[in-house]
Amino acid sequence: MPDQPAQPAPPLAEAPYIRLLMIKRFRGIEKLIWYPGRGVNILLGGGDVGKTTILEAIALLLNPTNASTLSDSDYWQRKYEDGFEIGAIMALPLSSGIADQKKTVWPWHWNGKTARVPDIETGDGHVDDPVYCLRVSGTPDFELQHEILQPDDTVDHFPVSVRRNIGLVRLSGDDRNDRDLRLIQGSALERLLSDKTLRSRLGNEIAKTDVKNVLQDDAKTALNTLDERFKKRALPTDLSLGLVGGPGFSLNALIGLTATKDGTLLPLSSWGAGTRRLAALEVAAAHQVEHPVMVVDEIERGLESYRQRILMEELIARPSQVFVTTHSAPAVNAAVGASLWYVDAGGAVGELPAAIGPQQKRDPETFLARVAIIAEGATEVGFVTTLINRSLGEDMRRYGIWVSDGGSNSEALTVLRGLSNSGLKVAGFADNEGTQTGLWAEVKAKLGDLLMRWPEGCLETNVIPHLTDDQLEAFIRDPDGDAGERLRTLAERAGTEEKTLAAVQAATDNILKLMVEAACGSVTNDLPDATKKAWKRHGQRWFKSSAGGAELADKVFELGLWPKVQDRLLPFVNAVRAAIGLPAVQTVD
C-alpha cells in the first residue's frame, strides 16, 4: 500500500471502518487507492466514472455470504485471465469476532498512512492502533477468494462469520431492494430471521397441497395423456403436480414481507420505490451488528426531497462508516458534516475540503455540475451566464455548466482554492480588490484561463469607462426603458436638484467616473452616516443583482463595447468551451 501524509491516529474503533481501499482491475476501474473518511462519505461525479463500482467493490469485499457469482464484465476490460483484487486496511472492533478465530488473526500497526508489521519485541504483544488487511480476489476461473493477509506474509481465509459480524447494509437498485425484502438466500431478510429449517418445513407443508385437483379440465386431460405416454415408454406413472426444488431454486424465495394497506395485505415489493428502499434499509439495519458498514447508491432514488434530507441526516448521526453516491442537490445540501469526494473521469477520487461548507449550503448544484463557474457575486452570475449562453448559442445548462454565486470575493477565493484541488472541473470569475494576491496567483496557476480576474477593479469599472457620450442615455436606461432611478443616484452624487443627464453632466467634470461610483455603490469616509447608507444602496438600482449582471452583459453587446473587453473575456469563454469539449471561437456575438 502506498504512503500518504501522516494523520493523527483516532481512538480504538467502536465501529468497523475502512482506512484504505484499494481496487485493481475491477469492472471499470483499473486501479484506485482511496483513504475514505471515518463517517459518511459522499461520492460525487458524472455518469460512468466509477462511483457505483466503488460501492460494489466494498459490498463484495464484506459480502456476508459466498453466494456471489462472477461474469467477465466484473473484470477490467473483460480480461478475466488477469483477475481482479479489492483490498482494504480496516479498523475492527472486538465485536467483529476477528480475534476469536480458530487460527489466530494478527493485527497490523496503522502508522497514520499505511499498515506496518508491529514491533512485538518492544512490548507485550499489544499493538497500538491495530488494523487488519482484508482482500477479495476474482480468479481467472471466475471464483471469489476472501482472504486475510497476516503480518508474517501468510494468507488465511476471511470467513463468512467475521464478515457477518462486521456487518454490511447495502442499498442499491430497486431489484436489490426487492431481493432484501424476500427470503432469498443471502438477503437481508433471510439473514435477519436466520431460520435454517424453514425450507424443509415449508416444503413439507406445500407438498400436502393437491395441485392437480385445481387444474382446469383441459389441463387435467393433457396431464392424463402425458401419463399414458409415460406408461408406453415404461416411465414412472401416476403423474401429478407439486412444487419441487432444484439447483438455484428455493421455495423460500417465494416468501417476502407483507404489510397492510387500507385493510388489504399486500407484498411490500408492490409498494413505491422509495418505501421499498427505506424498508430494505431498516431490514438490513435490524441485524444484531451494532454499527455495520453501509453503502447507499443514489440515495435520492424514489425519495422526496424531505426524505432525502432526513435520511442523510440520520446516516450522518450514526457511528457507522457510510458510503453514498448521489446526484441530488437536496442530499448534498443536507450532507453537512459528511466528507465530500469527487470522482473524475479518470477514476481518481479527490476530497472537497471542509472550507467549501458554506458553498455546499448556499448552492449544492455547484458540486453536481459538469463545469462549475464560481462567480464572486450576483452581478457576476448574471453577466457570466449571459456571456456563456451567447457563446454557445443556447442554454449552457444543456452542457452541464452551472454558474454559482460565491458569496463575496474572499469566499469565492476559498471555494476556488478548495475545488481546484478536488478534480471537479471549476472556473472562476472575480473582481480584483487588490487583496490576497498570492492566493489568487496560486489559483490562477492551477486554473489558467478558467479564472477570469480583472487586472484591477470590478465589472463596472472595466465596462463603463468605454462608453462614449452618445451611448450614455441608452446605457442608463433600465430594461423597461426607464432612466429615472439611475439618474436620481447620479444627481444625488453630483449635488444637483435637476435629475436629467444634461444637468448631471453640467454638475460634474467626469460623468463616467460618477456612473462607476453610483453603479458600485461607492462612498467616502467624509460623508455623513445617513448619506453613506443611502449611497451604498445606489448599486442596487444599477447592476447589483443577477438580473442587473445580465442586463450589463446585454448592453456590452448592444452598444458595441465587446471589442473593447474581448481580449480579457474571450480566453475565459474559450477555456469554458474547451472544458466541455467544444472548439474555440474567434468572437462572441
Side-chain angles (χ1 to χ4, degrees), residues 480-493:
D480 295 327
D482 184 11
E485 286 294 315
R486 291 172 181 173
L487 282 173
R488 184 174 292 108
T489 66
L490 297 176
E492 289 177 9
R493 289 172 179 268

Side-chain angles (χ1 to χ4, degrees), residues 350-364:
E351 186 172 13
L352 304 180
I356 53 85
Q359 185 71 15
Q360 180 184 348
K361 294 294 291 183
R362 180 169 48 238
D363 189 1

Side-chain angles (χ1 to χ4, degrees), residues 19-74:
R19 292 199 166 185
L20 185 151
L21 178 70
M22 182 273 295
I23 302 174
K24 290 182 179 179
R25 301 181 301 278
F26 179 61
R27 296 187 183 173
I29 296 178
E30 183 177 17
K31 184 176 181 180
L32 179 141
I33 295 171
W34 179 33
Y35 291 74
R38 186 170 182 171
V40 176
N41 297 272
I42 311 293
L43 289 169
L44 307 172
D48 300 321
V49 297
K51 301 186 301 298
T52 298
T53 299
I54 294 173
L55 266 58
E56 293 289 343
I58 295 169
L60 190 61
L61 175 68
L62 301 179
N63 193 350
T65 74
N66 288 326
S68 298
T69 57
L70 299 178
S71 68
D72 60 348
S73 61
D74 290 318

Side-chain angles (χ1 to χ4, degrees), residues 99-424:
D100 300 331
Q101 305 305 299
K102 291 182 179 179
K103 185 174 181 180
T104 302
V105 177
W106 298 101
W108 298 67
H109 167 66
W110 178 257
N111 66 359
K113 48 189 175 181
T114 192
R116 299 294 192 196
V117 176
D119 186 0
I120 59 175
E121 295 182 358
T122 60
D124 57 1
H126 173 74
V127 178
D128 291 325
D129 209 358
V131 292
Y132 297 86
C133 294
L134 313 173
R135 179 174 68 192
V136 61
S137 302
T139 73
D141 296 324
F142 298 93
E143 295 178 347
L144 281 174
Q145 294 180 345
H146 282 84
E147 300 169 318
I148 299 175
L149 284 66
Q150 299 273 38
D152 62 356
D153 290 333
T154 61
V155 177
D156 292 321
H157 180 60
F158 182 19
V160 167
S161 60
V162 176
R163 283 182 265 150
R164 288 198 173 195
N165 287 336
I166 291 172
L168 175 71
V169 174
R170 181 184 180 193
L171 197 61
S172 54
D174 286 344
D175 55 336
R176 177 76 195 187
N177 300 336
D178 193 21
R179 181 181 187 276
D180 279 340
L181 298 176
R182 299 167 63 187
L183 283 175
I184 297 172
Q185 184 177 4
S187 72
L189 183 60
E190 187 265 346
R191 288 183 281 120
L192 175 66
L193 300 182
S194 191
D195 189 338
K196 299 184 184 301
T197 64
L198 178 61
R199 178 183 299 188
S200 60
R201 288 187 283 111
L202 183 63
N204 290 335
E205 290 299 318
I206 293 178
K208 299 175 184 178
T209 303
D210 188 353
V211 180
K212 182 178 180 180
N213 232 9
V214 299
L215 290 175
Q216 293 184 354
D217 290 341
D218 289 348
K220 290 179 181 178
T221 300
L223 188 60
N224 290 334
T225 301
L226 181 64
D227 191 63
E228 293 297 324
R229 294 176 66 90
F230 271 40
K231 286 180 182 178
K232 291 178 182 180
R233 295 288 186 180
L235 295 171
T237 58
D238 292 330
L239 299 181
S240 186
L241 292 176
L243 290 177
V244 294
F249 181 81
S250 170
L251 295 177
N252 293 11
L254 301 175
I255 298 176
L257 285 177
T258 61
T260 301
K261 184 177 183 181
D262 299 328
T264 303
L265 197 64
L266 297 173
L268 212 60
S269 58
S270 68
W271 293 42
T275 299
R276 295 200 308 274
R277 284 171 65 80
L278 292 177
L281 182 64
E282 289 305 315
V283 170
H287 289 265
Q288 297 302 312
V289 177
E290 190 173 5
H291 304 307
V293 175
M294 308 178 76
V295 292
V296 183
D297 196 16
E298 295 186 9
I299 193 173
E300 66 272 14
R301 186 180 297 177
L303 299 180
E304 303 92 335
S305 294
Y306 76 90
R307 275 184 161 183
Q308 295 174 36
R309 294 178 186 278
I310 292 173
L311 178 55
M312 185 66 77
E313 291 168 359
E314 289 177 347
L315 292 176
I316 292 173
R318 295 172 182 258
S320 295
Q321 188 179 38
V322 185
F323 301 88
V324 176
T325 69
T326 185
H327 296 278
S328 165
V332 174
N333 179 265
V336 176
S339 298
L340 268 60
W341 305 85
Y342 187 80
V343 185
D344 65 20
V349 181
E351 186 172 13
L352 304 180
I356 53 85
Q359 185 71 15
Q360 180 184 348
K361 294 294 291 183
R362 180 169 48 238
D363 189 1
E365 292 277 3
T366 303
F367 310 101
L368 303 172
R370 185 178 176 190
V371 178
I373 302 176
I374 308 301
E376 80 160 55
T379 304
E380 288 74 22
V381 167
F383 188 92
V384 171
T385 299
T386 301
L387 178 61
I388 299 300
N389 284 345
R390 276 181 172 268
S391 80
L392 297 173
E394 59 181 317
D395 192 330
M396 65 184 177
R397 292 176 298 178
R398 296 182 182 275
Y399 294 88
I401 301 172
W402 183 259
V403 181
S404 180
D405 188 340
S408 70
N409 191 267
S410 60
E411 289 184 37
L413 173 60
T414 298
V415 174
L416 287 169
R417 290 184 68 204
L419 297 186
S420 62
N421 292 319
S422 68
L424 179 70

